[in-house]
Amino acid sequence: MGIPCYVSGKGMHATDWTRQFKVEVIEVLESTGRGYDTRYQYYRQQFPDMDSGALARLVCDPIEYYDKDWTAYHAAHIGGQDEDEVITTFFMERDALFRRQAQAAIYCYDEASFGSGLNSMRLIMENKPILGFYNPRIKDHGVNLHNVLQLAIEFPRLVTLARYRTLSEIQPTLLAWLQGL
């Protein structure tokens, strides 16, 4: 089945470009058998009949939009708590599961924000290698590229960064990196 990987999500405010990136990574992992996204595999159990591309697109969204356990969790935990705190706790529990199951991580830093940085540091603290992709144009769209580059400079044993311009560049870089793990 390949190497279990944590593939960065689209997040709440990212655009369709990040969704396309994640779907491409999941498709490469699934079609080559070299790895799999732990989040995708978890939700494959909840949506066994869903088309693989549709499921890959679905798991890019915040999990409270589609997780079948969310409604019951919400009902059991909302009493006296803030709605955002309940969502955050639910997400953190699921996301921690996906990170624990993973042996490595694949990240798209094109629309990175605080959540990407926080999660990257969690993975580094868990001693999990990260392959991070970034398009050099991100610095023109509000992402501090220098913050992303610091990850590879500060943690060269764990973080590999790859520049790319088109989605077609992802597969060869990803497969070569997985081969080296």
Side-chain angles (χ1 to χ4, degrees), residues 94-150:
R94 287 288 196 266
D95 204 55
L97 171 69
F98 306 141
R99 279 194 325 275
R100 274 194 312 273
Q101 293 173 341
Q103 292 176 7
I106 303 149
Y107 245 90
C108 178
Y109 288 110
D110 290 354
E111 296 179 298
S113 62
F114 184 75
S116 298
L118 182 62
N119 238 6
S120 293
M121 293 310 297
R122 286 176 178 145
L123 289 156
I124 288 168
M125 289 171 45
E126 294 167 2
N127 208 35
K128 297 190 179 183
I130 299 171
L131 172 60
F133 287 88
Y134 70 94
N135 190 313
R137 291 178 290 199
I138 65 174
K139 62 185 176 186
D140 299 331
H141 299 285
V143 174
N144 186 337
L145 178 58
H146 302 121
N147 284 346
V148 174
L149 295 174
Q150 286 179 58

